[in-house]
Amino acid sequence: MPLQRLGRLLLSRIGCDCPLCGARVAGARLCPGCEADILAAEPGAPPRCPRCALRLVRGTACCAACLGVPRSFARTVAAFDYQPPADALILMLKAQRRLSMAPVLARLIAAAIARDGPLPPDVLLVPVPAGRASLRRRGMNPAAEIARGLAAELALPLGRGVLLRRREAPRQTGKNRQARRRGAVGLFACAGGVQGRHVAVVDDVMTTGSTADAAAGALLAAGAAGVTVLVAARTP
Ligand SMILES: [Zn+2]
Ligand SMILES: [Zn+2]
């Protein structure tokens, strides 16, 4: 038995605590109650923009940002909005470096895909590469950890090193949409291997969509047939 499968099997036999409520669960996952709460839309929550997963103003079919500037990606699946209580899962992975949160978030994205509609067959999963500073700070790339969990969860191929950073981006935190967009242009290059394939770009959080758009642009320029974005959380 491959080591990774053996590891997962062992983990599934060991009792863990649900990271949100502390209930005893089998393996690194949320308890069924927390998982259902996170994946269910809040009562009365408007539907999401099909392209970027932003919550829509009632009665509109697409968000103003996607109408204003066409995006390179066709669809975004977001498991939950980046707000309490689910945002804690992202913080545990990124700020506390709890790697066991990566498969938890991957499971939620897989469940969101089952909830929202299937991906094109044989889609290639490609994580957004981390910047050098954040790699140094965290010692890992959260997007790559989630993509690895998702590849195992969905039995899909994982493209490592497909996307490369061409330069270091200025820190995006606190910037407005236009500044983030300018900062992300030309950020990525594609090393190849995507010709004619559908690619799913994996990231932890989507804020304005500028990073995902730059990644999708590089993949399409390298011949990808289409790009979907998969994120654990969408900034509302
Ligand atoms: Zn729970
Ligand atoms: Zn949109």
Side-chain angles (χ1 to χ4, degrees):
M1 187 182 290
L3 209 59
Q4 237 186 349
R5 251 184 70 201
L6 182 68
R8 272 208 301 280
L9 185 71
L10 281 175
L11 202 60
S12 69
R13 301 282 165 88
I14 301 170
C16 295
D17 294 334
C18 169
L20 287 181
C21 73
R24 208 73 178 144
V25 288
R29 60 176 63 190
L30 298 178
C31 72
C34 285
E35 185 168 304
D37 281 354
I38 283 176
L39 289 167
E42 274 174 60
R48 293 180 186 278
C49 171
R51 197 161 271 248
C52 77
L54 191 70
R55 295 276 180 206
L56 289 170
V57 178
R58 262 191 205 292
T60 56
C62 182
C63 79
C66 288
L67 273 180
V69 188
R71 313 266 201 182
S72 300
F73 50 85
R75 177 190 175 201
T76 298
V77 177
F80 53 85
D81 285 319
Y82 191 54
Q83 59 189 19
D87 60 349
L89 300 171
I90 304 276
L91 296 174
M92 285 180 220
L93 174 64
K94 292 176 78 173
Q96 300 170 16
R97 283 173 264 180
R98 280 175 61 179
L99 280 177
S100 59
M101 287 307 113
V104 172
L105 291 166
R107 249 181 85 89
L108 287 171
I109 296 174
I113 294 166
R115 175 195 68 194
D116 297 353
L119 300 174
D122 238 358
V123 64
L124 179 68
L125 300 177
V126 171
V128 171
R132 225 175 311 151
S134 66
L135 260 182
R136 240 196 330 263
R137 197 169 58 244
R138 300 198 179 100
M140 52 104 182
N141 174 9
E145 295 299 325
I146 294 171
R148 200 149 55 94
L150 204 50
E153 191 73 42
L154 298 175
L156 283 173
L158 177 63
R160 296 168 204 268
V162 167
L163 273 179
L164 310 166
R165 280 212 179 231
R166 294 173 64 190
R167 56 180 171 77
E168 293 306 303
R171 255 184 100 77
Q172 300 277 52
T173 319
K175 285 187 180 168
N176 67 22
R177 173 178 296 278
Q178 280 82 9
R180 290 181 81 111
R181 200 173 166 79
R182 275 197 306 275
V185 170
L187 196 53
F188 303 106
C190 176
V194 298
Q195 186 72 42
R197 295 196 71 168
H198 198 102
V199 179
V201 169
V202 181
D203 209 351
D204 45 18
V205 182
M206 180 188 278
T207 304
T208 62
S210 299
T211 304
D213 194 50
L219 291 162
L220 291 178
V227 178
T228 296
V229 181
L230 305 175
V231 291
R234 178 68 163 103
T235 303

